[in-house]
Amino acid sequence: MRPITAAIDWDLFWSLTFADPGGRSPLEPQLCGVRYATPITSPFSQNACSHPLKCNYCDRSVLPSHGRFLYHHVHLAKLFFFPSTLSVLGKLTVDVCHRDLDKFIRMGLMQPAPILESLIIKDLEYRDKIARALPSNMFSGFTPRLQRLHIHALRLPWLLPDLGGLTELVVDITFRGLLWHKRTYVPVDGGPLTTESVFYDALRKMTNLRRLVLLTCLPPLSKASTSEVRGIVEMPHLQLMKVGGEAISCGHVIGFVKRPATCQLHVHCILSQTANIHDIDFLLQLLGSYSQLTTYAVDVHSLKKSSMRFSLVESYDDEHHVTVVSDSWDHLDQVYIDVSCRGEDAAPQGWCSIAVISKLFGAIPSAHVRSLAFRYIPGPGVSYSGWWHTVKLFPNLKHLHLSDRLATIFFIMAWSPEMSRRWARLAESTTDAEDVHILPELVSLKFWGRLNESIAGTALKDALFKALVGRKNAGLPLRKLFLGGGREDADWVEACKELVTVSLKD
């Protein structure tokens, strides 16, 4: 039977695409609740009549309420009953339960897959923080057409023979806790993830990669590890590279891969208590390598006692806002930097988040930064003086974007002598009357948040008004004020319009 191209989306657990030897475009009919545009013909249909799920049509009304577990049982069974299916699989997406992983691999993934182009496999029950290893003889070592490989919460066998044809590789062993943004390492069974030599030998073959994601899967350093031993591999087509792990290992991988200037780079560095604070110094060279011929926006995502996150984005002089990007690692920043200690009480010697971010900002072509955004700064460890030491690194800043309470307080204190006196206890250091002259090129302010909030007895909107007056009295009036996130008092807005052009957005 000649298989036609068909896609089966098993809603919760599986997605299979059968390749058409004739090269026709794939069909994308949906299983469970959506009618097929074309009946599906596949090896599975031979046994479909014995299951409540039919491969040529299915409606949710025929499924029992406990269908989630039924799906899992039936889908595993179908693949096990037809191991020859791998010979016609073009794409395979697997979400498998941890307890079934060994059986699934043994019965479902050990046959050659000559036309498999995409494999995505995830262990659904890795919350026990054990990342299992996939076998190095998976698919009998024969996947000559494999281009897309995503491995989540599992260990990749770096000795697989057909990794050289990949255009997309994702290996993510990051454990996410109950808080969506909380990332921790996942301990692995059986010792180290891999050796440096095997890891770098595998990467040397992947010169066609367009997307490379390596999160908490980097090998431990060997005593003989040097840049001369590792060498350099050129990946001329790389569009996105994400690396996460121990800071020193991240630096080695970043230095190993030669990327195009247009490649987006996300780096997530972990510092243990025994780490050397200079392990992140490779970021200085990285940030300093960006062009002096363009302008940039800096977006500070968070600045906490034990971590800091910011991104660098190409910008324009006349740009009046930084594109608000999500907090995932999927936005389109030129470079995204995340440096985190393993815990608030487990920072290495010499760690201070405001000092670290100031040092990194100093490596950026700072005279070319036109926009600066602050999103979240909880407060402890960030003083007024340390703050301004960081901000004034960007003397040609034109556009400021605030959605953080503490950052807003510090700017208001710098611009308004009256508010500097009222809020002195919030600064944790002394203010200077000349601070209003910092950022002389600033022309616009975008504030996102609630201005009706009262801080130390003064409404934030009244304090902001005094700050605008202070800038004007210093001969440095702002030209534009953008307000969003809440409805503002009409009389207050009209008063502001006498000082600056005001734009509102609910």
Side-chain angles (χ1 to χ4, degrees), residues 148-162:
R148 184 176 187 234
L149 178 59
H150 289 209
I151 306 295
H152 297 272
L154 292 162
R155 297 167 58 190
L156 173 68
W158 291 95
L159 292 173
L160 283 174
D162 293 324

Side-chain angles (χ1 to χ4, degrees), residues 400-455:
L400 181 63
H401 316 270
L402 302 175
S403 57
D404 175 76
R405 181 177 182 269
L406 184 62
T408 304
I409 289 173
F410 284 167
F411 277 105
I412 289 174
M413 291 179 66
W415 297 344
S416 168
E418 179 182 347
M419 295 314 304
S420 177
R421 291 190 297 272
R422 287 192 189 182
W423 289 349
R425 65 179 181 83
L426 303 176
E428 296 185 15
S429 60
T430 58
T431 60
D432 191 318
E434 293 300 312
D435 289 348
V436 70
H437 296 287
I438 298 176
L439 306 182
E441 303 294 322
L442 193 67
V443 296
S444 75
L445 169 64
K446 181 178 181 180
F447 178 83
W448 190 271
R450 297 180 300 168
L451 284 171
N452 290 325
E453 178 185 3
S454 179
I455 299 174

Side-chain angles (χ1 to χ4, degrees), residues 81-374:
F81 293 161
F82 297 96
S84 60
T85 299
L86 290 176
S87 66
V88 294
L89 271 180
K91 298 179 182 178
L92 172 60
T93 298
V94 181
D95 287 349
V96 63
C97 290
H98 190 82
R99 61 183 178 274
D100 297 324
L101 183 62
D102 290 338
K103 181 179 180 182
F104 167 72
I105 292 172
R106 185 173 66 254
M107 299 183 69
L109 294 184
M110 298 309 295
Q111 301 298 318
I115 58 176
L116 184 67
E117 296 180 354
S118 173
L119 172 63
I120 301 174
I121 182 168
K122 178 190 297 184
D123 184 348
L124 289 176
E125 295 179 333
Y126 71 120
R127 291 188 181 277
D128 57 3
K129 299 187 180 183
I130 296 296
R132 304 288 297 281
L134 294 173
S136 57
N137 61 341
M138 191 167 57
F139 299 115
S140 297
F142 190 69
T143 52
R145 292 174 59 175
L146 189 63
Q147 297 181 18
R148 184 176 187 234
L149 178 59
H150 289 209
I151 306 295
H152 297 272
L154 292 162
R155 297 167 58 190
L156 173 68
W158 291 95
L159 292 173
L160 283 174
D162 293 324
L163 296 178
L166 293 178
T167 59
E168 189 170 318
L169 175 63
V170 175
V171 185
D172 184 355
I173 315 182
T174 303
F175 173 73
R176 291 168 179 81
L178 296 178
L179 296 177
W180 65 270
H181 62 280
K182 186 69 173 177
R183 294 170 179 265
T184 60
Y185 278 106
V186 181
V188 294
D189 61 343
L193 293 164
T194 186
T195 63
E196 269 199 314
S197 60
V198 170
F199 176 81
Y200 287 111
D201 283 348
L203 287 183
R204 284 189 188 93
K205 302 173 184 177
M206 304 182 198
T207 56
N208 294 317
L209 283 176
R210 289 175 169 78
R211 187 167 186 251
L212 175 60
V213 177
L214 303 171
L215 301 179
T216 59
C217 63
L218 307 182
L221 300 179
S222 67
K223 293 182 179 179
S225 179
T226 64
S227 57
E228 290 77 14
V229 171
R230 292 188 299 274
I232 293 177
V233 62
E234 187 168 356
M235 297 186 181
H237 311 293
L238 201 60
Q239 300 169 358
L240 173 65
M241 181 176 179
K242 295 183 181 182
V243 177
E246 294 286 351
I248 193 168
S249 296
C250 289
H252 287 183
V253 176
I254 296 296
F256 176 72
V257 176
K258 185 177 180 180
R259 311 167 302 280
T262 55
C263 178
Q264 300 161 27
L265 182 62
H266 296 193
V267 186
H268 176 80
C269 295
I270 293 291
L271 288 171
S272 64
Q273 192 168 14
T274 58
N276 189 318
I277 191 66
H278 295 293
D279 287 348
I280 60 173
D281 283 356
F282 75 94
L283 296 173
L284 300 174
Q285 182 179 358
L286 172 66
L287 293 168
S289 68
Y290 283 91
S291 173
Q292 302 276 350
L293 302 178
T294 187
T295 57
Y296 298 96
V298 173
D299 189 350
V300 181
H301 299 254
S302 75
L303 183 59
K304 303 179 183 178
K305 181 179 179 180
S306 60
S307 67
M308 44 128 291
R309 293 186 292 137
F310 72 91
S311 52
L312 183 68
V313 190
E314 285 195 16
S315 181
Y316 301 95
D317 280 353
D318 59 350
E319 197 173 64
H320 66 258
H321 68 279
V322 175
T323 301
V324 178
V325 291
S326 70
D327 279 306
S328 69
W329 285 21
D330 296 327
H331 50 68
L332 302 180
D333 298 328
Q334 189 77 13
V335 60
Y336 175 91
I337 304 293
D338 180 349
V339 181
S340 302
C341 301
R342 287 206 176 272
E344 290 192 2
D345 299 324
Q349 185 177 3
W351 169 266
C352 172
S353 59
I354 188 70
V356 169
I357 202 170
S358 294
K359 185 177 180 179
L360 295 179
F361 281 177
I364 295 173
S366 55
H368 296 262
V369 174
R370 298 292 186 267
S371 296
L372 180 62
F374 291 97

